[in-house]
């Protein structure tokens, strides 16, 4: 702000303070509008001031309310309070409570009408929750979720990690990503994908979680709700009981402690097996690294060799000796432990994929019953597009190991007409995993028909391609490292809606020898 005139800046802060107090004149409102149009820095300053005060105001009032109820705010809130107090000492305009006002709306009226609009904005921007803890938590935009973060109502879209949240109502949540949810208020959430465990304060009830298939209302309890990428819902009660209502047909149950329900295709509520691994009820104590480990991509093109001899899917790669491989690793010091050696092959009927992956915790992916999660249980995702243009039809192959069943898994990602990712389980394929001292080997045979291709690519065909390898913690729940390989940074090569990664590289299908 050094570039601004000191008198103008002082006048701006005075006008902002007057708006926050509800005492601004029409002239002050017009002056603020002019500042916002003149320079975006004024918008940023105003939003920072108001956001900091809103948090400070909330914490002061919430601390008093919780003290009256015998509860003390958690450390994350105290940290946020200290940061807000420091900012308040610098910014003299922050003396009363309201939300992102003029920065989010056009004020065209006198003070009374402007104040009402600003009060409505406050209701939408006041925090409804705070982050108590984050274990590799990452938002959809790639930013980290940190302890002490304030969360507003609206859509929360998180791509990775376990996040512990406390709603302002006192309800505690453990959210396991990937997760997408719409937060209506501190006692009502709609879950579109992911899993969460809800713990109510002792003696309280009424928290509600909706999914596409069911509505769950707690009756004083701890319970988990999950929605997988296929839209299938499940609820499981750890303590107390919940009321569950199907949204598809008139079926309602009171689910007691230890009970588990899912929704059948016809909308009925059906009891299912209790799972000890479907939901995370705590954050892991150990945290070796705060950020997800990545890599520096080195490949822009790869080869797909013709399978001259039959490839037996058994986890033994002897048949792959003459097929070209790519080799990649995560950044140091993880380049010795987090490695990939991958190969592709094809014939008229099938696509073949193999990989030797270095992994400190091999084959620990936890089974999710009906809640199979692509990014949580998928150790490897290989993307293809049926052409070289960015608008070509594409598909992703999600390959993972089910540690409880001891079986390989495969899910196929495609796009609908609106560009949304659609996931389905594959049929008529073979897969194998084999654990070794430093990691594991995977091997797959996938018919071209299973991915929607009527025939195999022809020799010399060039398709878009990308490899996306994931590593998980010792419990097999949370991604701790991710390697993306075979990319092209040139513009126009990005396929939106499949994988969410960078621009893809290419694969060239080689002819028979």
């Amino acid at each position: 702000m050094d570039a601004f005139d000191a008198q103008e800046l002082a006048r701006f802060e005075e006008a902002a303070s007057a708006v926050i107090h509800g005492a601004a004149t029409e002239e002050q409102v017009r002056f603020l509008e002019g500042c916002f149009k003149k320079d975006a820095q004024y918008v940023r300053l105003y939003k920072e001031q108001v956001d900091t005060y809103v948090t400070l105001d909330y914490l002061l009032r919430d601390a008093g309310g919780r003290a009256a109820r015998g509860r003390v705010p958690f450390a994350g809130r105290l940290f946020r309070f200290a940061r807000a107090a420091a900012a308040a000492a610098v910014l003299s305009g922050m003396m009363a409570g309201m939300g992102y006002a003029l920065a989010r709306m056009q004020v065209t009226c006198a003070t009374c009408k402007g104040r009402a609009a600003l009060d409505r904005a406050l209701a939408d921007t006041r925090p409804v929750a705070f982050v108590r803890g984050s274990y590799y938590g990452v938002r959809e935009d790639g930013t980290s979720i940190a302890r002490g973060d304030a969360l507003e109502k609206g859509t929360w879209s998180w791509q990775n990690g376990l996040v512990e949240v406390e709603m302002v109502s006192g309800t505690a949540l453990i959210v396991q990503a990937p997760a997408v949810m719409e937060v209506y208020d501190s006692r009502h959430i709609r879950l579109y994908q992911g899993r969460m465990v809800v713990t109510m304060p002792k003696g309280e009830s009424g928290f509600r979680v909706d999914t596409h298939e069911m509505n769950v209302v707690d009756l004083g309890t701890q319970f988990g709700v999950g929605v997988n990428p296929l839209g299938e819902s499940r609820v499981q009660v750890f303590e107390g009981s919940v009321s569950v209502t199907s949204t598809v047909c008139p079926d309602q149950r009171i689910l007691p402690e230890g009970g588990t329900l899912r929704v059948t295709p016809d909308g009925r509520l059906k009891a299912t097996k209790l799972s000890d691994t479907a939901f995370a009820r705590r954050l892991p104590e150990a945290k070796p690294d705060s950020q997800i480990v990545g890599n520096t991509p080195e490949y822009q093109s790869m080869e797909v060799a013709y399978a001259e001899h039959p490839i037996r899917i058994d986890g033994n790669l002897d048949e792959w000796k003459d097929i070209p491989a790519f080799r990649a690793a995560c950044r140091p010091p993880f380049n010795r432990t987090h490695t990939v050696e991958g190969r592709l092959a094809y014939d008229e009927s099938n696509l073949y994929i193999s990989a030797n992956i270095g992994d400190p915790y091999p084959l620990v992916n936890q089974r999710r019953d009906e809640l199979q999660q692509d990014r949580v249980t998928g150790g490897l995702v290989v993307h293809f597009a049926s052409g070289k243009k960015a608008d070509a039809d594409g598909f992703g192959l999600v390959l993972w190991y089910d540690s409880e069943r001891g079986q390989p898994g495969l899910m196929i990602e495609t796009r609908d007409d609106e560009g949304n990712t659609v996931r389905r389980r594959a049929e008529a394929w073979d897969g194998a995993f084999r654990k070794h001292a430093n990691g594991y080997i995977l091997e797959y045979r996938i018919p071209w028909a299973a991915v929607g291709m009527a025939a195999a690519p022809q020799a010399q065909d060039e398709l878009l391609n990308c490899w996306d390898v994931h590593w998980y913690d010792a419990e097999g729940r949370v991604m701790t490292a991710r390697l993306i390989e075979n990319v092209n940074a040139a513009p126009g090569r990005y396929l939106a809606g499949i994988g969410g990664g960078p621009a893809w590289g290419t694969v060239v299908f080689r002819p028979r020898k």
Side-chain angles (χ1 to χ4, degrees):
M1 299 298 293
D2 294 339
F4 292 106
D5 178 81
Q7 292 183 347
E8 182 180 78
L9 181 58
R11 183 184 174 191
F12 172 84
E13 292 183 347
E14 181 181 0
S17 176
V19 170
I20 293 173
H21 276 83
T25 65
E26 188 173 354
E27 179 184 359
Q28 287 176 313
V29 171
R30 286 199 302 269
F31 173 72
L32 287 180
E33 286 183 316
C35 290
F36 295 149
K37 295 177 181 178
K38 176 181 178 181
D39 197 306
Q41 293 258 24
Y42 277 120
V43 177
R44 179 188 58 79
L45 175 60
Y46 188 81
K47 290 175 68 175
E48 288 178 353
Q49 291 179 342
V50 176
D51 182 44
T52 305
Y53 181 78
V54 168
T55 303
L56 176 61
D57 177 66
Y58 164 73
L59 289 172
L60 289 171
R61 289 182 291 104
D62 186 61
R66 285 180 173 271
R69 298 193 299 269
R71 292 197 294 273
V72 179
F74 59 84
R77 292 186 179 177
L78 297 180
F79 169 76
R80 173 69 66 149
F81 173 86
R83 186 168 63 181
V90 176
L91 302 175
S92 60
M94 302 184 311
M95 290 286 125
M98 56 160 291
Y100 292 150
L102 298 173
R104 284 195 171 185
M105 66 179 67
Q106 182 179 5
V107 180
T108 58
C109 57
T111 301
C112 58
K113 293 183 179 179
R115 176 66 187 182
L118 297 176
D119 286 342
R120 288 194 297 271
L122 170 60
D124 291 333
T125 60
R126 180 176 292 133
V128 295
F130 287 83
V131 176
R132 291 173 53 176
S134 176
Y135 183 73
Y136 293 95
V138 179
R139 297 181 179 85
E140 185 179 41
D141 62 4
T143 58
S144 297
I145 303 171
R147 179 181 175 87
D149 282 354
L151 304 174
E152 298 174 1
K153 69 179 181 180
T155 301
W156 300 353
S157 185
W158 298 342
Q159 64 170 282
N160 188 67
L162 287 174
V163 182
E164 186 176 6
V165 173
E166 183 173 341
M167 311 299 290
V168 296
S169 61
T171 302
L173 309 177
I174 297 289
V175 180
Q176 184 169 345
V180 180
M181 67 207 84
E182 187 173 358
V183 181
Y184 300 119
D185 55 47
S186 65
R187 300 176 66 86
H188 188 188
I189 290 177
R190 174 173 289 273
L191 184 63
Y192 296 102
Q193 181 183 341
R195 290 185 292 279
M196 70 168 58
V197 170
V198 180
T199 303
M200 292 295 294
K202 186 176 181 179
E204 296 188 19
S205 62
F207 193 88
R208 174 172 173 172
V209 180
D210 296 336
T211 76
H212 176 68
E213 297 182 327
M214 63 172 63
N215 299 327
V216 181
V217 179
D218 108 273
L219 303 176
T221 186
Q222 182 186 71
F223 65 97
V225 178
V227 181
N228 73 1
L230 304 178
E232 300 163 344
S233 302
R234 170 179 179 155
V235 58
Q236 182 166 310
V237 179
F238 305 107
E239 299 175 9
S241 61
V242 297
S243 171
V244 186
T245 304
S246 170
T247 63
V248 183
C249 69
D251 192 1
Q252 184 177 12
R253 308 278 184 88
I254 300 299
L255 188 64
E257 182 174 327
T260 302
L261 289 175
R262 65 179 179 86
V263 181
T264 62
D266 62 358
R268 297 288 177 181
L269 301 173
K270 181 179 180 179
T272 187
K273 181 182 177 181
L274 181 71
S275 172
D276 294 330
T277 62
F279 296 96
R281 300 170 64 184
R282 60 174 179 80
L283 265 61
E285 297 180 1
K287 187 173 181 181
D289 193 78
S290 60
Q291 300 293 326
I292 295 178
V293 178
N295 71 302
T296 302
E298 298 181 4
Y299 292 83
Q300 296 190 49
S301 183
M302 296 179 179
E303 293 185 357
V304 186
Y306 189 89
E308 303 288 345
H309 307 287
I311 295 179
R312 183 166 33 191
I313 306 301
D314 56 5
N316 188 326
L317 303 185
D318 288 343
E319 300 100 330
W320 295 81
K321 291 179 179 178
D322 297 328
I323 295 176
F326 79 88
R327 296 171 178 83
C330 290
R331 298 188 186 96
F334 301 93
N335 56 324
R336 294 186 177 182
T337 56
H338 295 64
T339 60
V340 179
E341 181 180 273
R343 292 177 170 91
L344 295 170
Y346 80 107
D347 58 26
E348 285 77 7
S349 301
N350 304 292
L351 170 68
Y352 301 92
I353 300 174
S354 75
N356 188 347
I357 298 178
D359 191 339
Y361 305 110
L363 306 185
V364 294
N365 295 329
Q366 299 220 9
R367 181 185 170 211
R368 308 299 179 193
D369 299 312
E370 298 86 20
L371 299 175
Q372 295 287 3
Q373 294 281 349
D374 60 335
R375 290 296 183 271
V376 175
T377 57
L380 171 64
V381 184
V382 183
H383 302 286
F384 288 91
S386 57
K388 293 189 293 184
K389 296 182 179 180
D391 59 352
D393 292 333
F395 62 88
L397 302 171
V398 185
L399 319 173
W400 78 87
Y401 181 76
D402 183 333
S403 62
E404 186 171 326
R405 291 178 175 173
Q407 296 176 351
L410 174 64
M411 185 177 291
I412 297 177
E413 298 179 332
T414 55
R415 287 187 298 176
D416 61 20
D417 293 338
E418 297 179 355
N420 300 313
T421 300
V422 178
R423 300 175 177 91
R424 59 183 173 85
R425 295 187 176 99
E427 298 180 357
W429 55 274
D430 293 322
F433 283 78
R434 182 170 64 85
K435 184 177 179 180
H436 56 75
N438 299 315
Y440 63 96
I441 289 172
L442 64 82
E443 193 176 22
Y444 276 77
R445 178 193 63 83
I446 304 167
W448 292 111
V451 296
M453 295 183 66
Q458 299 298 306
Q460 305 303 330
D461 278 356
E462 185 176 333
L463 308 184
L464 295 180
N465 168 256
C466 183
W467 287 63
D468 190 352
V469 189
H470 305 151
W471 285 264
Y472 298 88
D473 63 357
E475 295 184 356
R477 291 186 180 276
V478 177
M479 182 169 63
T480 59
R482 182 180 189 183
L483 180 149
I484 298 177
E485 193 52 88
N486 199 23
V487 302
N488 186 349
R493 306 300 293 273
Y494 176 67
L495 285 180
I498 298 290
W504 295 357
T506 58
V507 287
V508 179
F509 287 77
R510 295 307 185 193
R512 302 186 68 164
K513 294 180 181 179

